[in-house]
Amino acid sequence: MDYAHSDTAVHEPAARRRGGGQPIAAKILVAGGFGVGKTTMVGSISEIRPLRTEELLSDRSAGVDDTTGVSGKTSTTVAMDFGRITMGDGLILYLFGTPGQQRFWFMWDELALGAVGAVVLADVRRLADSFAAIDYFEDRGTPFMVAVNCFDGAERKDPADVRIALDLDADVPLVMCDVRSRDSAKEVLISMVEHVLARTAAARR
């Protein structure tokens, strides 16, 4: 399992930064289709050893799990991924990665309880796989954003074209990223937090 330390600013005690107050905790989901990089993102950003519930793909998954575009994938998440990252100003994000295959979608309702927002990871080679997650969060009214994971060898798409293809509302953030990079994954989470705060402020007005 991957293990990643936070940088100095992130590791600074939250209570001291907030004048002795308690840090704020928030739950964020990392969702998307099969093989889109959810486990990788949680692992690359987490300041603790991430919890993973992966099982090896077997012959029994043939014809069930669509591995088009991710033929090298050998394992799959069957319950969830879990990680934690402390941001500035005493904000702690608890990250829950959802399983991607349809037969495990019954887990989503449990994982979504208490979540303030969601990151929907997308792969330009398999954009249709993102629709289920987008529809899910739209139906629940959960703030979400789309982060396009730029896989090696995948065609680079204009973000505006991806937005049109996914039929996203204008206020839904869309960013390009490489979830293997901790800095890139952190920028995604910063965008997510800013989106949630903007939605909350707008609702209060």
Side-chain angles (χ1 to χ4, degrees):
M1 287 189 279
D2 295 333
Y3 184 85
H5 290 286
S6 302
D7 53 32
T8 303
V10 169
H11 257 295
E12 184 183 354
R16 183 170 60 203
R17 291 197 304 275
R18 296 177 61 83
Q22 293 296 316
I24 299 172
K27 179 180 182 180
I28 300 289
L29 295 188
V30 180
F34 174 62
V36 79
K38 300 179 295 293
T39 298
T40 300
M41 179 175 176
V42 174
S44 68
I45 194 67
S46 181
E47 65 192 10
I48 62 172
R49 187 180 297 277
L51 169 67
R52 294 174 176 170
T53 58
E54 286 194 303
E55 294 292 339
L56 291 176
L57 293 174
S58 67
D59 293 341
R60 293 183 178 181
S61 67
V64 178
D65 295 323
D66 181 7
T67 58
T68 304
V70 287
S71 56
K73 187 170 175 61
T74 59
S75 61
T76 184
T77 298
V78 296
M80 68 174 186
D81 300 305
F82 174 76
R84 185 190 72 197
I85 177 68
T86 307
M87 311 294 279
D89 298 324
L91 175 62
I92 300 174
L93 300 182
Y94 292 103
L95 309 176
F96 288 79
T98 66
Q101 303 96 309
Q102 185 173 357
R103 66 183 185 277
F104 297 128
W105 283 358
F106 67 90
M107 292 288 302
W108 285 38
D109 287 342
E110 295 293 332
L111 293 175
L113 290 175
V116 300
V119 175
V120 176
L121 286 179
D123 179 353
V124 295
R125 301 168 299 180
R126 299 153 57 98
L127 282 179
D129 291 355
S130 305
F131 290 143
I134 291 171
D135 290 345
Y136 180 84
F137 296 118
E138 285 182 341
D139 291 344
R140 292 180 66 95
T142 302
F144 73 95
M145 65 173 291
V146 173
V148 180
N149 191 15
C150 298
F151 286 86
D152 291 338
E155 182 182 357
R156 294 299 184 257
K157 298 285 189 179
D158 188 306
D161 292 336
V162 176
R163 177 178 291 279
I164 292 171
L166 294 177
D167 193 25
L168 296 178
D169 291 340
D171 63 338
V172 176
L174 183 146
V175 300
M176 314 301 283
C177 67
D178 181 346
V179 298
R180 298 170 301 181
S181 164
R182 189 170 193 275
D183 288 341
S184 183
K186 184 184 289 187
E187 288 299 318
V188 171
L189 292 179
I190 290 172
S191 296
M192 180 71 258
V193 171
E194 290 175 342
H195 179 51
V196 171
L197 292 175
R199 282 277 301 264
T200 301
R204 288 175 178 172
R205 290 195 297 267

